[in-house]
Amino acid sequence: MLSKDDQQALLAWYDEHQRDLPWRQSDDPWAILLSEILLQQTQVSRGLVYWQRMVETFPTIASMAQAPVDAVLKAWEGAGYYSRARRLHALSQQVMLPKAEGGFDGQLPSTYGDLLSLPGIGPYTAAAVASIAFGQSVACVDGNIRRVMARRTAQADPTSKQVQAWADAALHPARPGDWNQALMELGATVCTPKRWNCGGCPVRASCAGKENPGAFPTPKKQRVTSLNLVAVVEFALDGHPVLHQRPMTGIFAGLWGPVYHEDAPTGLEDLVNCGTVNHQLSHRKIEVRVHLKHHDLATHGTPRSGVAISSLDEKVLNLASEYATANPHIQKSEAKG
Ligand code: SF4
């Protein structure tokens, strides 16, 4: 539990030491929502770049709702976890609907319950936006807060219910948004997973876990799966790659890229082996063997700048392009971006 003195100490520390992040200067709920969705699975340093791009491309909910989903995916390009971009687009369209049709007349709702009803919004994001953008007294729970709670109470494996109950009891009713951010900031910058700084912690005196922070919480083993793919890359006679839009479900859904096969396709022996690309997602290692088609080429390809491409596909196309450029005898066209 955090006493009133602890609360004051943590808020005073947050007021003085919080990182200077642009969404913290904004009181626009849409800009705050974009930051929360981006930062769910993207580091702050990278999230800054993508947040700026999203805010500039879609300054309002209406501007995103009017855009095709492909434009949202293009703006999201490189941020990963593209289902977030597709759900964000669905969210914007739902918010723009009239109330009679289940929407919110173009205004992002302010309550936890209404926010939770929107596509792509889970309990964390609903609580974060309700408290930070609308000043509602709702406690957030994310990985940082779970770790701070586990260490302060010296619990190795607190349940989600226990963490939520702790966060609810700790919430500062007058400054709920700042309070949630202060706890998360403590977890992100001081009470970090591997390099905690108890000496610089504003609530050290009352912490039960400070003698051995590494014991709380018990690290969870992550199961990493691996996936082996074969990519067939074709550069058309105009030099652009031949790209296909992936289905709206599954890996890299809705993005564009070369054809992938899980097993070696027939005719592989007629293609040129350019090498291998390795790519790491959070729980998955992907290895792609890249092959280049060099005969019966299409006349026109797809300029890369016009469609959304994943970082993996960028690597695959770059490897094939470099190979084609270094070996001009294998195909007539010169690969372009
Ligand atoms: S004293 Fe150490 S373990 Fe406790 S909350 Fe602060 S940084 Fe975390």
Side-chain angles (χ1 to χ4, degrees):
M1 184 51 62
L2 285 148
S3 67
K4 281 214 160 53
D5 286 349
D6 284 332
Q7 285 184 321
Q8 291 310 333
L10 183 57
L11 281 173
W13 168 83
Y14 178 69
D15 289 341
E16 194 177 342
H17 296 285
Q18 64 177 277
R19 287 167 295 176
D20 182 15
L21 302 172
W23 47 84
R24 288 184 174 160
Q25 315 307 324
S26 174
D27 56 6
D28 175 4
W30 174 238
I32 293 168
L33 172 72
L34 287 175
S35 74
E36 289 299 337
I37 291 185
L38 263 168
L39 295 181
Q40 281 165 18
Q41 277 140 328
T42 304
Q43 287 170 347
V44 169
S45 54
R46 292 179 60 233
L48 278 167
V49 177
Y50 297 114
W51 181 81
Q52 202 66 48
R53 192 199 291 170
M54 293 302 288
V55 167
E56 281 168 15
T57 314
F58 304 108
T60 61
I61 297 183
S63 62
M64 181 175 286
Q66 286 156 10
V69 68
D70 279 354
V72 181
L73 288 167
K74 184 67 187 163
W76 199 268
E77 195 177 69
Y81 293 96
Y82 293 89
S83 58
R84 293 180 294 172
R86 288 194 306 279
R87 292 201 196 107
L88 194 56
H89 184 251
L91 175 153
S92 68
Q93 294 196 318
Q94 187 173 333
V95 169
M96 293 310 293
L97 288 176
K99 282 219 167 90
E101 293 176 31
F104 293 92
D105 291 336
Q107 299 296 319
L108 195 66
S110 61
T111 66
Y112 175 82
D114 282 345
L115 285 161
L116 199 56
S117 74
L118 293 168
I121 302 285
Y124 165 76
T125 312
V129 174
S131 62
I132 297 168
F134 298 107
Q136 306 264 323
S137 287
V138 197
C140 290
V141 168
D142 74 341
N144 283 317
I145 292 182
R146 178 175 187 271
R147 183 171 58 260
V148 169
M149 177 272 182
R151 288 180 178 169
R152 284 197 55 80
T153 57
Q155 291 189 66
D157 193 17
T159 64
S160 305
K161 238 176 159 177
Q162 287 170 322
V163 181
Q164 186 68 57
W166 180 87
D168 289 344
L171 188 68
H172 192 287
R175 296 179 61 186
D178 286 343
W179 176 256
N180 283 328
Q181 291 184 91
L183 271 180
M184 289 188 275
E185 190 82 346
L186 187 73
T189 63
V190 176
C191 195
T192 56
K194 293 194 178 133
R195 270 181 271 164
W196 47 86
N197 172 20
C198 297
C201 177
V203 289
R204 179 179 194 284
S206 56
C207 179
K210 63 178 178 274
E211 298 309 331
N212 189 13
F216 313 108
T218 311
K220 285 197 173 135
K221 277 195 187 142
Q222 284 197 342
R223 260 223 341 241
V224 178
T225 57
S226 54
L227 180 64
N228 296 303
L229 298 169
V230 175
V232 176
V233 178
E234 175 181 359
F235 289 104
L237 295 174
D238 65 2
H240 292 297
V242 176
L243 303 176
H244 307 270
Q245 188 168 27
R246 303 197 192 289
M248 283 297 167
T249 54
I251 193 166
F252 304 130
L255 272 69
W256 292 68
V259 173
Y260 283 168
H261 301 268
E262 294 206 9
D263 299 307
T266 50
L268 192 66
E269 59 284 356
D270 293 335
L271 308 176
V272 177
N273 184 352
C274 306
T276 300
V277 164
N278 290 296
H279 193 69
Q280 178 84 48
L281 300 177
S282 61
H283 299 107
R284 192 176 250 191
K285 279 183 184 169
I286 305 179
E287 184 187 281
V288 185
R289 285 186 289 137
V290 182
H291 288 75
L292 186 64
K293 187 176 171 189
H294 59 102
H295 53 82
D296 301 327
L297 299 177
T299 310
H300 299 292
T302 310
R304 288 198 220 185
S305 57
V307 294
I309 296 176
S310 70
S311 309
L312 171 61
D313 284 318
E314 283 286 350
K315 289 194 220 169
V316 166
L317 290 172
N318 287 344
L319 177 66
S321 174
E322 283 161 19
Y323 190 95
T325 305
N327 299 276
H329 58 281
I330 60 166
Q331 64 185 123
K332 293 188 195 110
S333 64
E334 190 185 330
K336 291 186 204 168

